[in-house]
């Protein structure tokens, strides 16, 4: 059966998504299944459910695929190699393909505001959109005063529609608040164009690729599964996808405590 925009909106309402909600979305179109109108109808169903007073947020990232060929080089060589490449215009660049097709559809939705961070762009539509995505820190862009921090400050929710278990971007904020010793950090270089012109820039942050500490597997998935088992989420089906809706604050607090308990060296040794 092919779902319609109305069907999806009804599913979302049963999940307890409400008018006026501020919601960050992680979704797999494949998991949702066939929908009349495709990605646009999925986005439309979410917007129908939260109404004009609600705000929808997604992570877009940036398609920096050309950078992948040089990121292994020593820093000085990497910078020179990037200078030889055409810059990526972060105002118009496609979303990171690894995030999924819904992110690119959302980027091009009329009325969506796209942030201009060179590494981790967020996009949003609705009354809180400007506050969520504009003027975020260049460094530690998933920590304090990040879109994630602002989402929590405004009592936002997280909606997962068939997304991978390691896909909970808000847990990167938990990494900043976790009491973990010697957190791993990373530096990345980019050749970009934006309103300020073309330039090579670097971004410093906690290591949001390999994690802030050694762990057997992906600890985001472990945290999510334990959090969902704690009873603090709503469950249902949206289309064919398993769906979960929960408070951003709740999972950040849960994740921070979990990391503090599990990722410190003495805990890992035991």
């Amino acid at each position: 059966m092919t779902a319609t925009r109305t069907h999806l909106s009804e599913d979302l309402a049963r999940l307890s998504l409400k008018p006026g909600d501020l919601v960050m979305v992680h979704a797999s179109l494949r998991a949702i299944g066939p929908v009349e109108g495709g990605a646009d109808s999925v986005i439309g169903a979410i917007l129908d459910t939260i109404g004009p007073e609600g705000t929808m947020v997604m992570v877009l990232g940036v398609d920096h695929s050309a950078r992948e060929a040089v990121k292994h080089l020593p820093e000085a060589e990497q910078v020179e190699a990037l200078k030889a490449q055409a810059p990526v215009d972060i105002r118009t660049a496609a979303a990171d393909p690894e995030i999924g097709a819904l992110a690119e559809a959302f980027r091009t939705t009329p009325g969506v505001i796209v942030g201009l961070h060179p590494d981790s762009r967020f996009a949003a539509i609705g009354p809180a959109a400007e506050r969520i995505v504009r003027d975020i820190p260049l460094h530690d862009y998933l920590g304090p005063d990040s879109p994630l921090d602002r989402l929590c400050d405004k009592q936002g929710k997280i909606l997962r529609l068939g997304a991978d278990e390691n896909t909970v971007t808000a847990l990167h904020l938990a990494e900043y608040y976790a009491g973990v010793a010697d957190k791993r950090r990373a530096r990345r270089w980019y050749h970009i164009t934006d309103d300020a012109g073309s330039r090579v820039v670097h971004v410093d942050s906690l290591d949001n690729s390999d994690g802030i500490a050694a762990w057997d597997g992906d600890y985001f998935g472990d945290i999510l599964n334990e959090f969902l088992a704690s009873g603090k989420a709503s469950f249902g089906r949206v289309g064919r996808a398993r769906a979960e809706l929960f408070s951003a604050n709740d999972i950040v607090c849960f994740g921070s405590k979990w990391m503090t308990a599990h990722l410190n060296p003495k805990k890992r040794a035991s």
Side-chain angles (χ1 to χ4, degrees):
M1 178 179 175
T2 299
T4 66
R5 177 169 169 167
T6 299
H7 291 148
L8 296 183
S9 185
E10 291 170 350
D11 290 345
L12 290 163
R14 281 191 289 270
L15 192 66
S16 298
L17 190 66
K18 296 179 173 63
D21 278 349
L22 166 59
V23 62
M24 183 174 178
V25 179
H26 300 291
S28 164
L29 290 176
R30 181 178 298 176
I32 294 169
V35 178
E36 288 182 11
D40 291 339
S41 287
V42 175
I43 294 166
I46 295 168
L47 296 179
D48 291 345
T49 308
I50 63 176
E53 299 305 313
T55 297
M56 176 179 172
V57 182
M58 289 195 75
V59 177
L60 301 183
V62 183
D63 186 359
H64 281 296
S65 52
R67 173 184 172 275
E68 295 300 304
V70 304
K71 69 179 185 180
H72 66 285
L73 296 173
E75 194 166 272
E77 294 179 31
Q78 186 178 153
V79 171
E80 291 306 310
L82 285 170
K83 288 179 180 177
Q85 295 180 359
V88 174
D89 191 331
I90 60 172
R91 298 167 296 187
T92 59
D96 185 344
E98 293 187 2
I99 295 177
L102 192 69
E104 179 60 11
F106 187 61
R107 184 185 71 84
T108 58
T109 296
V112 165
I113 297 172
V114 178
L116 297 180
H117 194 277
D119 190 307
S120 187
R121 289 181 307 171
F122 285 72
I125 186 169
E130 288 270 359
R131 172 59 187 150
I132 296 295
V133 306
R134 294 292 197 204
D135 301 319
I136 71 173
L138 176 62
H139 304 296
D140 292 312
Y141 52 87
L142 297 176
D145 200 33
S146 67
L148 302 174
D149 198 32
R150 297 171 188 181
L151 178 75
C152 289
D153 185 60
K154 288 184 170 292
Q155 306 302 309
K157 298 177 180 179
I158 295 172
L159 172 65
R160 289 171 34 85
L161 304 176
D164 290 343
E165 66 178 15
N166 61 356
T167 306
V168 187
T169 305
L171 287 174
H172 287 302
L173 177 60
E175 291 177 317
Y176 280 87
Y177 294 133
V180 176
D182 302 320
K183 296 176 185 178
R184 297 192 298 211
R185 295 186 62 83
R187 170 171 289 188
R188 300 180 180 89
W189 291 87
Y190 302 98
H191 190 186
I192 63 164
T193 293
D194 59 13
D195 294 339
S198 297
R199 62 202 184 280
V200 174
V201 298
H202 75 271
V203 176
D204 293 328
S205 69
L206 292 183
D207 189 341
N208 53 35
S209 294
D210 297 324
I212 60 172
W215 186 255
D216 184 14
D218 189 320
Y219 55 81
F220 274 27
D222 293 338
I223 293 170
L224 175 65
N225 288 328
E226 290 189 30
F227 173 79
L228 294 177
S230 73
K232 293 186 177 181
S234 298
F235 298 91
R237 290 276 170 184
V238 174
R240 296 179 182 175
R242 171 187 165 97
E244 301 120 15
L245 181 70
F246 47 84
S247 158
N249 269 315
D250 281 352
I251 196 162
V252 169
C253 291
F254 186 95
S256 176
K257 292 175 181 177
W258 189 99
M259 294 174 199
T260 301
H262 292 83
L263 297 184
N264 278 299
K266 290 183 179 179
K267 293 287 186 180
R268 297 199 301 270
S270 62

